[in-house]
Amino acid sequence: MSARDAKNRGENSPEEISRKAKSSAGDEPDSYTLDADDASTDSEIGKLAKDLEELRQTLLRRQADFENYRKRVEKERSEDSRRSTARVIEGLIPVIDSFDQALAAHHEPEYANYRKGFELIHKQLVDNLARLGAERVEPLGMTFDPHLHQAMDRTETTEHDEGTILEVFQPGYVFHGRALRPAMVRDR
């Protein structure tokens, strides 16, 4: 630190302190002034150190707040993307059902070429939905789960265990563990 920098800040440079000390050797009042200057400088240093620590703590809190904000925004963005994808899939499920019905209806030889085309389109559509995360639920023979299945009919029989699905009227769809549409079934 130069003498000019110290003077600009209102502090005494080391040279100035030693000059004052030599000129006032034996002069009591100036030595008290020097001690007072040292004390005020020490208190100023303490105040600055305290301010610096407060600023560091504020910086750490702000960094943590920003990191939490960034994670929250990222999570919300991911959830928004999933909800949008789920809405698109829900809109395409009736199209797949229509393909299923069309493919089940026409088995005549004159429709063979059309049928092959429909089967290819149906397969592409189902494969793309699976790539997006949608799974088709075909629960025939499984145990009834009210979260994934909707009972449309109940049959009394001794051939199957209680709650076994005997027939599937319409397949269900699940997207990342959440039922988009429950499978419509007949159970025992």
Side-chain angles (χ1 to χ4, degrees), residues 2-56:
S2 71
R4 178 184 285 163
D5 292 337
K7 194 170 192 174
N8 287 340
R9 289 194 308 242
E11 298 174 2
N12 293 326
S13 69
E15 296 87 15
E16 198 171 319
I17 291 172
S18 66
R19 186 176 48 80
K20 283 184 180 180
K22 287 178 187 175
S23 69
S24 66
D27 193 2
E28 296 279 329
D30 282 340
S31 67
Y32 288 129
T33 307
L34 251 173
D35 290 340
D37 285 347
D38 287 346
S40 69
T41 303
D42 287 345
S43 69
E44 217 175 290
I45 289 173
K47 181 182 179 271
L48 290 173
K50 182 182 173 190
D51 290 347
L52 178 62
E53 186 57 32
E54 286 177 14
L55 288 172
R56 283 185 180 151

Side-chain angles (χ1 to χ4, degrees), residues 37-79:
D37 285 347
D38 287 346
S40 69
T41 303
D42 287 345
S43 69
E44 217 175 290
I45 289 173
K47 181 182 179 271
L48 290 173
K50 182 182 173 190
D51 290 347
L52 178 62
E53 186 57 32
E54 286 177 14
L55 288 172
R56 283 185 180 151
Q57 292 302 317
T58 301
L59 176 64
L60 288 174
R61 282 192 298 275
R62 297 271 167 87
Q63 285 175 332
D65 288 345
F66 181 74
E67 186 65 24
N68 291 339
Y69 168 77
R70 187 185 62 75
K71 287 178 182 177
R72 186 176 65 246
V73 166
E74 191 174 304
K75 183 180 177 184
E76 288 172 357
R77 189 176 298 143
S78 174
E79 289 172 358

Side-chain angles (χ1 to χ4, degrees), residues 94-156:
V95 175
I96 293 173
D97 291 340
S98 296
F99 269 109
D100 289 338
Q101 291 170 357
L103 290 171
H106 296 288
H107 292 287
E108 296 85 22
E110 60 267 11
Y111 293 113
N113 288 334
Y114 290 112
R115 184 172 176 75
K116 285 181 186 177
F118 278 119
E119 287 171 348
L120 288 173
I121 294 169
H122 180 265
K123 183 179 177 345
Q124 284 178 332
L125 189 56
V126 170
D127 289 347
N128 281 319
L129 290 182
R131 213 174 297 127
L132 290 173
E135 297 175 42
R136 190 173 177 145
V137 178
E138 292 282 353
L140 188 62
M142 296 173 60
T143 303
F144 181 81
D145 179 357
H147 300 289
L148 299 175
H149 311 123
Q150 182 176 354
M152 302 303 290
D153 190 18
R154 191 166 183 93
T155 302
E156 295 301 323

